[in-house]
Amino acid sequence: MTFTENVAALAGKIRAKKDDIATEEATKNAFIMPFISSVLGYDVFDPSEVVPELVADVGVKKGEKIDYAIMKDGQVQILIECKKIGEPLNLNHASQLFRYFAATSARIAILTNGQEYQVYTDGDAPNRMDEKPFLVFDLLNVDRTLLPEIQKLSKESFDLDSVVNAAEELKYIGMIKRIIGNEVREPSDDWIRYFVSRAYDGKATQKVVDQFRGLVGKATTQYISDQVNDRLKNALGGDAPEIAVSNVPLMPAQQPSGDAVAIEVPDADIVTTDEEIDGFNIVRAIAVSEVAPERIVHRDAKTYFAVLLDDNNRKPIIRLHLNGKNVKFVTTFENDSKAGVRHDIESVVDIYKVADVIRSTIRAYIHDGVPANA
């Protein structure tokens, strides 16, 4: 198996078994030892490669243990401190890593709960572990761009200089990505003011910032959706044509005089959620077997999120009702039903259960102009 396949196999095991794991020891046996052996390629039963429960006296601390030490040529290369799966990773609970890092030859330290991994080095000060990781990844949601960096920790590819040299850049890239992610989920006033300053000629009062908050969130999710869809189309072959999206309000060139803030924002209280965008992308992925993906378009409304063929209200494919506190459902349009047929779902992934209906509805529009029986 390739490195990527080994990561995927372990991720599948974690997904299937994580709810059955109740202790730190069980986490080590079920997930962390397989990561060390199957993913990184070290022999966990060879003490010249992996030492469990490494004991050392560090200053006034006597007989402290680190969960695993990965060795090379008799020297400690990587220290690993383990927590129970599901437990938040907090350096305040991993003081051994700091002490051992200064007392051994290790330049790499890993804090993990078997699913999430934080990797540290000493980029800020020699022989002193940094307080912030340079590499952070979740095996259930691995950024594929990080796989080559994770692989550098493996027995086959381990090159300490390469890892340490890349650490500073990786640390700041990771931090910037997390900042962007937080701003996308919950835009701060500073983030919104940046866009106001570039899209709006009036004064960025708090009222204007509040009115732009929904617009920035909506524009961001639409942009991300477009990027995902462009990649999908390129993967299917051919050029990536312009994608039609739901209406994006235009910003006025100048704020009117007077105290009132006049910004024309159609349906400004409508916020397209990440879950709705996920649902749209699932529908589009289903639909590509029948039509080019750019023909699948979404329009958000107050009570539902519509997915249409050719941006035509007379050609509804499905409506997503995902914003209810307790109930989620979708409406499909088979059997020439103008009112639609309701299907209760538990999560957005359940849209795949009506994939055949989605495809038959699209085929009916293409061939007959009206939906046919699924």
Side-chain angles (χ1 to χ4, degrees), residues 36-163:
I36 296 171
S37 59
S38 299
V39 175
L40 298 186
Y42 297 98
D43 186 349
V44 294
F45 301 109
D46 183 348
S48 67
E49 290 192 14
V50 180
V51 178
E53 300 291 324
L54 179 67
V55 179
D57 294 336
V58 183
V60 297
K61 297 285 184 177
K62 304 297 182 182
E64 276 201 319
K65 298 179 181 179
I66 201 78
D67 289 307
Y68 297 101
I70 295 178
M71 315 290 291
K72 183 180 180 181
D73 300 328
Q75 297 294 314
V76 178
Q77 300 294 318
I78 303 174
L79 299 171
I80 303 177
E81 176 71 10
C82 306
K83 302 299 177 185
K84 185 183 73 172
I85 192 158
E87 183 175 334
L89 298 182
N90 189 329
L91 274 184
N92 293 331
H93 301 151
S95 56
Q96 297 98 314
L97 277 179
F98 281 105
R99 288 194 288 271
Y100 266 67
F101 200 91
T104 69
S105 57
R107 297 286 306 280
I108 306 295
I110 298 175
L111 178 63
T112 180
N113 60 15
Q115 174 184 330
E116 301 171 59
Y117 284 76
Q118 296 180 355
V119 189
Y120 299 80
T121 187
D122 59 351
D124 295 337
N127 300 319
R128 184 180 185 278
M129 193 177 90
D130 298 340
E131 293 186 2
K132 294 182 179 180
F134 71 86
L135 183 60
V136 177
F137 58 93
D138 183 332
L139 288 178
L140 296 188
N141 186 26
V142 177
D143 183 341
R144 297 183 68 86
T145 63
L146 295 181
L147 288 175
E149 306 304 329
I150 302 171
Q151 191 169 11
K152 288 179 182 178
L153 301 173
S154 69
K155 178 181 177 180
E156 181 180 357
S157 305
F158 187 75
D159 180 345
L160 181 60
D161 290 337
S162 176
V163 173

Side-chain angles (χ1 to χ4, degrees), residues 13 35 58 61 118 124 128 172 181 235 264 318 325 355 365:
K13 180 180 180 182
F35 178 81
V58 183
K61 297 285 184 177
Q118 296 180 355
D124 295 337
R128 184 180 185 278
Y172 289 118
E264 294 297 326
I318 193 171
K325 292 184 178 179
Y365 287 140

